[in-house]
Amino acid sequence: MGFYEEISRVYERIFPAGETQVRFLLDALGESPSKRLLDVACGTGAYSRALARKGYTVTGIDLDPAMIDKARVKAREEGIPVAFETGDMRNLGAFRDYGNIICLGNSLPHLLTPHEIRGALGEMHKALAI
């Protein structure tokens, strides 16, 4: 069992989507004309679900299939309509035309070189509907 598969069972106890953080995100997102949001490296989808409850149409992606499986189960149990897909922040070709993108937590430090970081940020830029 891989690290993220193991941690997916307790992920939201370690990294909960707190009210203060969700309010911060809502303030940062402001009055965006688009409510379409991509949550890159979403883990088990706590922020994806929280923002979907606030009216956003959310797609959450994560590289680890165990995280996505857990995210799907939690969304289904809570009756929250979020699309969760396995995806790599270094290649977002299948994800386009989002009005907003978030990438939270300890995600970017997994990228080991400036080239990977620039590439992932470039992919996020291309995924925006601008």
Side-chain angles (χ1 to χ4, degrees):
M1 181 178 294
F3 175 74
Y4 282 100
E5 185 175 355
E6 182 72 29
I7 201 172
S8 70
R9 296 180 298 146
V10 294
Y11 192 80
E12 289 185 27
R13 288 178 32 209
I14 299 168
F15 304 108
E19 264 186 60
T20 301
Q21 292 83 357
V22 172
R23 274 196 311 272
F24 169 80
L25 287 172
L26 292 171
D27 288 345
L29 293 167
E31 291 299 318
S32 172
S34 172
K35 293 292 185 185
R36 195 156 181 259
L37 184 137
L38 180 64
D39 184 356
V40 175
C42 68
T44 57
Y47 286 101
S48 297
R49 295 188 321 274
L51 293 170
R53 281 188 212 94
K54 301 294 185 182
Y56 285 85
T57 301
V58 181
T59 301
I61 67 161
D62 199 278
L63 186 60
D64 190 83
M67 292 290 194
I68 291 301
D69 289 345
K70 184 65 116 176
R72 287 176 178 152
V73 167
K74 287 181 171 284
R76 192 170 35 252
E77 288 173 351
E78 296 175 17
I80 307 292
V82 178
F84 288 107
E85 303 291 335
T86 302
D88 188 333
M89 71 174 92
R90 296 168 296 185
N91 181 4
L92 298 175
F95 305 96
R96 292 290 186 255
D97 297 321
Y98 288 88
N100 305 280
I101 297 176
I102 61 172
C103 181
L104 305 171
N106 193 30
S107 306
L108 289 177
H110 287 287
L111 304 176
L112 301 178
T113 67
H115 176 75
E116 280 189 310
I117 294 167
R118 279 191 299 274
L121 294 174
E123 285 292 304
M124 290 180 216
H125 184 261
K126 287 190 287 188
L128 287 169
I130 54 173

